[in-house]
Amino acid sequence: MRIKYFGWMRQYVGMPEEVVDLAEFSETSATISELADWLMTRSAGHARAFAQRDQLRVAIDREFAEWGDHCRPQAEIAFLPPITGG
Amino acid sequence: MILHEEALAVGACMEAFMLRQTDECGAIVHFLGRTRQDTSAPADAPTTLLALELEHYPGMTEQQLARMLAQAAEQFAFLDAEIHHRVGRVGVAEPIVLVQVAGRHRKEAIQAVDFLMDWLKTDAPFWKSEYLSDGQRMWTPAKSQDQQNRENWQR
């Protein structure tokens, strides 16, 4: 799965994206929330990025999704800070 | 909808939109959003805003903007609509977004522009950061009013 970070998420994590193998953290189907729990353990930057999870939105394959949605092996999952366009 | 890496040629965009409308069109509304001299730094901080940086999610941005235009078309009986949005560095007083709607009458055009801006500010994946005169760079915080404005359309 390709994990993408934007805005201050990218700043804290220290990279715009990373590739994660679903099998690395779950033998069975995992939710986006469970993915975030696992990503938090990867570095202090990751932990900081996900510390205020209630502010974040998620997208799967470029569509808004919910934290309870399940990861798919080839999916692109993005973690999005509050939007400030326009 | 069109994303622009360079400065928006506002006059050219407006004229092109106007010229392609049919004789049925009695009203055209153009909304231009600009970078305002107003920072997220604390009120007593001696800084001014030099520029904004606009980042976005390539692929999702275009999809979301197209979806918003389709949703607006269902809700308001306008004839034509177009969104132009900057990405990259935008200086103070420079255009960030141009939303244009053509309608038979002004009501649907005005309402569609308002709808599109309220949705864009919550659902189009753009993020602003600010270059300040003291060398700081800060992420622009989202406004809860933007979320309220969007929700008002769903009542």
Side-chain angles (χ1 to χ4, degrees):
Chain A
M1 300 180 297
R2 184 181 302 274
I3 315 295
K4 297 187 87 129
Y5 304 106
F6 293 92
W8 49 254
M9 284 294 287
R10 186 192 63 258
Q11 188 182 325
Y12 289 148
V13 170
M15 58 190 134
E17 62 180 70
E18 55 184 328
V19 175
V20 165
D21 187 351
L22 186 57
E24 274 185 74
F25 75 97
S26 181
E27 287 176 4
T28 59
S29 175
T31 64
I32 302 295
S33 188
E34 287 164 342
L35 169 63
D37 290 340
W38 182 79
L39 287 167
M40 283 183 88
T41 66
R42 285 173 79 94
S43 75
H46 282 85
R48 193 171 171 206
F50 284 101
Q52 291 170 297
R53 205 176 294 191
D54 58 328
Q55 290 190 39
L56 301 176
R57 289 172 82 174
V58 299
I60 301 176
D61 293 333
R62 301 172 187 185
E63 297 280 352
F64 283 117
E66 303 294 329
W67 290 96
D69 290 345
H70 285 262
C71 300
R72 296 191 291 273
Q74 306 300 326
E76 178 171 292
I77 295 171
F79 293 99
L80 314 176
I83 278 160
T84 53
Chain B
M1 57 77 42
I2 305 157
L3 298 177
H4 296 259
E5 307 248 350
E6 303 296 330
L8 274 181
V10 174
C13 290
M14 288 172 64
E15 187 165 16
F17 186 75
M18 190 173 65
L19 288 175
R20 76 164 190 245
Q21 301 313 318
T22 64
D23 293 349
E24 281 183 276
C25 167
I28 299 175
V29 177
H30 308 276
F31 168 77
L32 185 71
R34 306 189 337 160
T35 304
R36 191 178 67 246
Q37 177 59 262
D38 183 12
T39 79
S40 304
D44 58 352
T47 61
T48 54
L49 178 69
L50 298 179
L52 292 181
E53 183 78 35
L54 271 149
E55 82 176 68
H56 77 113
Y57 185 172
M60 186 172 180
T61 315
E62 296 87 337
Q63 210 166 279
Q64 286 294 106
L65 289 172
R67 183 168 294 152
M68 278 167 218
L69 285 165
Q71 224 163 325
E74 272 178 45
Q75 205 154 325
F76 309 99
F78 57 76
L79 295 170
D80 193 8
E82 191 176 86
I83 299 173
H84 297 263
H85 203 295
R86 280 296 316 278
V87 293
R89 190 173 172 125
V90 185
V92 171
E94 283 185 24
I96 298 171
V97 59
L98 174 66
V99 176
Q100 359 198 47
V101 177
R104 290 177 184 81
H105 307 287
R106 73 179 183 284
K107 286 283 187 210
E108 60 267 27
I110 290 170
Q111 287 182 327
V113 165
D114 202 21
F115 174 93
L116 286 165
M117 278 306 301
D118 283 343
W119 276 84
L120 192 154
K121 281 192 164 288
T122 58
D123 280 14
F126 293 101
W127 296 275
K128 286 175 183 160
S129 54
E130 300 170 10
Y131 293 100
L132 303 178
S133 56
D134 65 353
Q136 276 192 86
R137 188 169 163 194
M138 293 179 53
W139 293 102
T140 304
K143 293 185 188 146
S144 56
Q145 186 61 50
D146 289 340
Q147 190 64 35
Q148 187 60 59
N149 291 341
R150 207 282 301 276
E151 285 168 10
N152 287 344
W153 290 102
Q154 291 169 296
R155 287 211 244 102

